[in-house]
Amino acid sequence: MMVTWIVAAALIIFAQYATRQVKAVPEGAQNFWEWLVEGLYKFLEDIIGHDLVKRTFWFFATIFIFILFCNWFGLIPGVGTIGWNVTYADGTHEFRPLLRGANADLNMTFAMAMIFFACWVYWALKVNGPGGFILHLFGPKGDTTGLLKILMVFVVFMVGILEVVSILFRPVSLSFRLFGNVYAGESMLEAMQHVVPSLAWLIPIPFYFLEVLVGLVQALVFMLLTAVFTLLICTHEEGEHPAHNNH
């Protein structure tokens, strides 16, 4: 929690600093912030479309920037290594770090995945309406007649059940994917320090820079998966019409 507060506060302060005196020709911090936001906007617009990105960009940009800097903050020397030892009544010992990488905790990644799930349900209902949402999952696909149509109704219903299970499982897969990669990276860096104790300062360095790249990739993967999941439920096949006019 302390790491998330530190990262969030740093991002807010930097954003306020970068935009306190907005110039027509950006420079310095304003230039970096505009480059980051505009780059993300155009990137997402190419993937999910102009209309959808206007409605959802606030979430996807926030989640990407927050995950990225939480991942990188966890690589700062001292995070996860400065702390104290705790002795339990049975005589066992445990090291408790003062600060831990935010995304190396499953509670954090699962919380972000559940927030996305709540937003996903809201966007899906807003675009499709309750009836359209159910029809999107269980509605018949294609034009069939006779016995084949009856068979297709059964097949589509079973596919819809599988789709519901898949949707409910998404928060779990999203949270474990991010948590697993970040936690494994931290564990690998720690393990590399003990391969040759006399070279504990040298051996982890290549893996350290690898984790910088992994932190970026995992933030990008989380954002892309959530964006694609949203696109799939908000996209209508030819001939379908959304329940609400969103313009």
Side-chain angles (χ1 to χ4, degrees):
M1 289 302 297
M2 287 179 64
V3 169
T4 61
W5 293 339
I6 292 170
V7 172
L11 289 173
I12 292 170
I13 292 171
F14 179 75
Q16 292 293 325
Y17 169 77
T19 58
R20 75 190 191 287
Q21 292 180 337
V22 178
K23 299 178 181 178
V25 179
E27 58 184 28
Q30 180 191 342
N31 190 39
F32 170 77
W33 201 247
E34 288 189 10
W35 167 80
L36 179 61
V37 173
E38 290 179 6
L40 282 174
Y41 191 92
K42 292 177 181 177
F43 178 70
L44 284 168
E45 187 177 24
D46 291 339
I47 296 174
I48 64 177
H50 177 71
D51 293 333
L52 192 56
V53 77
K54 287 196 300 184
R55 187 161 53 243
T56 61
F57 176 73
W58 63 271
F59 174 81
F60 297 130
T62 299
I63 208 73
F64 171 79
I65 294 172
F66 182 70
I67 291 175
L68 174 63
F69 285 98
C70 278
N71 290 344
W72 285 352
F73 187 90
L75 298 175
I76 295 176
V79 176
T81 57
I82 297 177
W84 62 92
N85 289 311
V86 176
T87 303
Y88 295 104
D90 59 0
T92 58
H93 301 277
E94 181 186 26
F95 176 75
R96 290 188 180 177
L98 176 64
L99 298 174
R100 290 190 299 127
N103 294 321
D105 191 319
L106 185 59
N107 294 293
M108 183 64 200
T109 59
F110 186 68
M112 289 190 292
M114 289 304 297
I115 290 173
F116 161 69
F117 186 72
C119 290
W120 181 88
V121 171
Y122 171 77
W123 292 325
L125 292 175
K126 186 176 180 62
V127 171
N128 300 287
F133 180 62
I134 295 173
L135 189 64
H136 195 284
L137 298 175
F138 296 100
K141 309 293 190 297
D143 296 325
T144 54
T145 57
L147 184 61
L148 183 60
K149 185 173 184 178
I150 298 175
L151 178 62
M152 285 303 297
V153 169
F154 174 75
V155 171
V156 169
F157 177 77
M158 295 305 297
V159 171
I161 294 294
L162 292 176
E163 181 68 14
V164 170
V165 174
S166 172
I167 289 169
L168 294 176
F169 192 73
R170 282 173 187 172
V172 178
S173 63
L174 284 169
S175 57
F176 271 95
R177 180 182 291 105
L178 179 58
F179 159 73
N181 281 281
V182 175
Y183 184 78
E186 290 191 359
S187 300
M188 180 184 66
L189 289 176
E190 184 177 355
M192 290 300 102
Q193 292 177 341
H194 297 92
V195 173
V196 181
S198 59
L199 296 176
W201 60 273
L202 177 63
I203 294 179
I205 291 178
F207 300 93
Y208 185 90
F209 287 104
L210 176 63
E211 285 307 305
V212 172
L213 178 61
V214 169
L216 171 63
V217 171
Q218 289 307 312
L220 190 63
V221 167
F222 194 98
M223 180 189 71
L224 283 177
L225 286 175
T226 53
V228 170
F229 289 153
T230 304
L231 175 65
L232 291 176
I233 196 63
C234 295
T235 300
H236 300 274
E237 296 180 2
E238 188 175 349
E240 291 185 57
H241 299 282
H244 301 289
N245 184 1
N246 295 296
H247 298 288

